Amino acid sequence: MEIIVPILTPFNEKGEIDGEKVKTHVENLLRKGVDIIFVNGTTGVGPALSKDEKRKMLDYVLDVTNKVIFQVGSLNMKEVLELVNYANEKDLIAVASYPPFYFSIPKDFIVKYFKEICKASKHPVYLYNYPGATGKDVDVNLAKEIDCIKGVKDTNPDFAHTIRYKELGIKTYNGLENLAIASLSILDGTVVGAGNYMPELFSQLREYIKAGDMRKALDLQLKIDEIDGTTIPYGKISSMYYLVKELQGYDVGVPRPPMYPLEENKAKELVEKVRKIWNKSE
Ligand code: ELE
């Protein structure tokens, strides 16, 4: 029943990563019950980071914990393998990657891509499947063909699709907030971007499930959904920076374009809306 948070990437006004803010954030997440930090995921704007920034993020998080999954995906294969080799020197749980995106490619290219990563990595290799973003669905059959995948994060509203990876006997997580209740109950855990600003709600959700109190778990899931849904028109990722400050009480810097910071009145409006839902009793 693991709670995994794809950590946001704190930037300063110049667009540089702020290492101290990363550490403060990781310490708080662990204190609030988060088990694993996923580095350079979608929420961490992984596809928008340079190779050097990806390495920096890994090192800042590793300064606090080795419970880390390191996402290495890129369209530049040389950089992918450099990041895998970099991870080989470190103590962490796994490296992960999304498939090569953007281009129309035959399935066997995807198989080759992951096999190359497996060959280079001394750590287990996890699949980050997010068809809605990458345009590629590495489903259970393709994962079987790759033959070296040891875990999967499936960001997919089709929960039946996620469950099927269990046929491979691998660690399986769904990556959507609104399926956290199902993912925690049936799979190995959940990967939730919203865990950046409301980790305690996901911890509480896990407690209700453990206690078999599914009625309370469902009510809490609906509260999580309401908060998560509120952020969509503001940009989910940009919203998180303001909500961490509001709900967790410390600064995680600002988002970096193309994740634009929110205008002051918008940020205020968002925070007020979320605060109202947050304060409602379950
Ligand atoms: C989620 C995505 C989903 C979390 C990551 C995650 O950030 O790496 O906007 O809800 O589709 O899978 O952030 O994003 P939405 O795993």
Side-chain angles (χ1 to χ4, degrees), residues 6 34 123 130 163 180 273:
V34 171
H123 296 295
Y130 188 1
I163 289 177
K273 280 187 195 167

Side-chain angles (χ1 to χ4, degrees), residues 23-272:
K23 290 180 206 173
T24 306
H25 190 36
V26 175
E27 280 163 8
N28 178 59
L29 294 177
L30 298 177
R31 215 169 26 238
K32 299 256 171 110
V34 171
D35 302 287
I36 299 173
I37 306 293
F38 191 93
V39 175
N40 304 330
T42 303
T43 305
V45 296
L49 299 178
S50 71
K51 182 185 69 180
D52 191 42
E53 288 174 328
K54 288 176 188 171
R55 281 197 295 231
K56 272 194 184 148
M57 268 309 283
L58 175 65
D59 286 337
Y60 292 139
V61 176
L62 284 177
D63 276 346
V64 183
T65 181
N66 60 4
K67 301 283 183 255
V68 171
I69 302 171
F70 180 46
Q71 202 284 122
V72 299
S74 162
L75 293 179
N76 183 319
M77 198 67 210
K78 183 166 167 273
E79 290 195 2
V80 173
L81 296 175
E82 279 172 18
L83 290 171
V84 170
N85 284 325
Y86 192 69
N88 281 344
E89 312 284 309
K90 317 272 176 181
D91 176 27
L92 42 80
I93 295 174
V95 297
S97 181
Y98 30 72
F101 49 95
Y102 190 79
F103 301 108
S104 293
I105 48 172
K107 286 195 171 159
D108 65 301
F109 287 15
I110 294 174
V111 174
K112 282 183 179 147
Y113 173 87
F114 280 102
K115 276 187 182 291
E116 254 193 274
I117 293 177
C118 289
K119 199 166 160 226
S121 179
K122 71 164 218 201
H123 296 295
V125 174
Y126 286 14
L127 161 68
Y128 180 9
N129 192 50
Y130 188 1
T134 64
K136 307 279 184 295
D137 182 17
V138 186
D139 64 6
V140 65
N141 294 321
L142 200 49
K144 206 177 284 172
E145 232 178 281
I146 295 167
D147 202 29
C148 59
I149 300 292
K150 298 286 191 276
V152 58
K153 166 171 73 145
D154 189 29
T155 295
N156 202 321
D158 180 356
F159 196 66
H161 182 284
T162 310
I163 289 177
R164 292 249 353 243
Y165 292 101
K166 269 293 167 192
E167 284 174 21
L168 304 178
I170 59 176
K171 287 260 187 191
T172 302
Y173 310 95
N174 184 281
L176 288 180
E177 279 82 6
N178 58 13
L179 286 170
I181 189 171
S183 205
L184 282 166
S185 301
I186 299 169
L187 302 173
D188 294 279
T190 182
V191 187
V192 278
N196 277 282
Y197 60 88
M198 46 180 176
E200 52 275 86
L201 296 199
F202 291 100
S203 290
Q204 182 65 61
L205 182 65
R206 174 171 55 191
E207 290 314 308
Y208 287 148
I209 295 167
K210 267 192 194 160
D213 201 340
M214 296 311 283
R215 182 65 237 178
K216 278 197 174 151
L218 182 57
D219 284 346
L220 182 53
Q221 176 71 68
L222 293 174
K223 179 172 175 169
I224 288 170
D225 294 353
E226 200 183 344
I227 294 176
D228 179 51
T230 303
T231 67
I232 293 171
Y234 299 89
K236 265 190 167 190
I237 296 177
S238 292
S239 297
M240 293 197 193
Y241 294 78
Y242 304 90
L243 292 176
V244 171
K245 188 155 194 200
E246 173 69 18
L247 300 174
Q248 300 300 314
Y250 52 85
D251 187 11
V252 283
V254 287
R256 182 172 76 178
M259 297 300 155
Y260 287 91
L262 302 186
E263 286 150 23
E264 214 173 299
N265 60 328
K266 285 274 176 195
K268 195 162 165 269
E269 185 184 280
L270 165 73
V271 162
E272 276 169 12

